[in-house]
Amino acid sequence: MNPGSPIPATLRAWQRAERHAFGRWLFARTVCRRAPYFATIRPQFLELAPSVCRVAMQKRRAVENHIHTVHALAMGNLCELAAGLCTEVTIPVTMRWIPRSMSIDYLAKAATNVTATARLTTTAWSRATNVDVQVSVHDEQAHEVVRASIAMYVSPRKSAPTHT
């Protein structure tokens, strides 16, 4: 995002919500209403700013596997959510994005709550392009349990048709 450019609506909503626990909860619920699948992990947003998103997920029965650790696909879901929101608040409002591919490495079992941090280092947004969002997931002991690279296709928004 360039200085002086309009702030994305999602970032404005976060900036209003982040000061209060209820606001952060309401923000997460709103995100999950727009993309219902993410509700399965009950995300808790910790930080959201251009180029970074940190979001946590509690280890609970609904996201456990048969060995009572956080299920790999639940963490993949967390990675996709963090990368998507990071992209959403980083690109100019004249652009749009969609995930194109995901590469994910499961490094260790996650026996505790986990936190994903997504980072996007691209700063130039003039044409359609693929960008890689790097995501790292850590457990409560700060061990990295998952590492992902999510390719996002970023392109100019189609202008709305004009009616005469």
Side-chain angles (χ1 to χ4, degrees):
M1 217 168 66
N2 295 329
S5 63
I7 296 174
T10 303
L11 183 56
R12 278 197 319 271
W14 170 252
Q15 289 170 340
R16 283 192 307 270
E18 72 175 316
R19 291 177 289 238
H20 308 286
F22 179 73
R24 289 188 302 272
W25 176 85
L26 191 58
F27 178 83
R29 294 285 297 162
T30 302
V31 167
C32 292
R33 284 186 60 81
R34 286 188 63 197
Y37 184 69
F38 292 124
T40 62
I41 62 170
R42 292 187 187 164
Q44 299 167 335
F45 289 88
L46 305 173
E47 179 182 4
L48 184 60
S51 302
V52 67
C53 176
R54 281 189 333 113
V55 60
M57 174 178 68
Q58 289 186 347
K59 178 185 176 279
R60 57 191 175 83
R61 181 70 188 120
V63 296
E64 284 182 359
N65 56 26
H66 64 288
I67 58 172
H68 305 291
T69 60
V70 180
H71 195 283
L73 291 181
M75 288 189 284
N77 196 5
L78 184 67
C79 289
E80 185 179 357
L81 175 61
L85 269 284
C86 182
T87 304
E88 177 75 20
V89 303
T90 303
I91 64 174
V93 296
T94 57
M95 305 294 274
R96 62 185 179 171
W97 61 273
I98 190 163
R100 190 159 260 183
S101 68
M102 176 189 278
S103 170
I104 190 162
D105 294 316
Y106 300 102
L107 308 172
K109 295 176 193 171
T112 67
N113 299 338
V114 292
T115 301
T117 303
R119 298 196 184 279
L120 179 57
T121 57
T122 304
T123 57
W125 309 100
S126 60
R127 60 180 173 74
T129 188
N130 286 315
V131 295
D132 287 324
V133 182
Q134 302 302 311
V135 186
S136 180
V137 180
H138 289 82
D139 65 13
E140 289 181 336
Q141 287 73 42
H143 297 119
E144 187 176 32
V145 294
V146 168
R147 186 179 307 134
S149 179
I150 302 175
M152 298 290 191
Y153 179 67
V154 178
S155 62
R157 288 188 187 274
K158 294 185 181 193
S159 51
T162 57
H163 298 284
T164 56

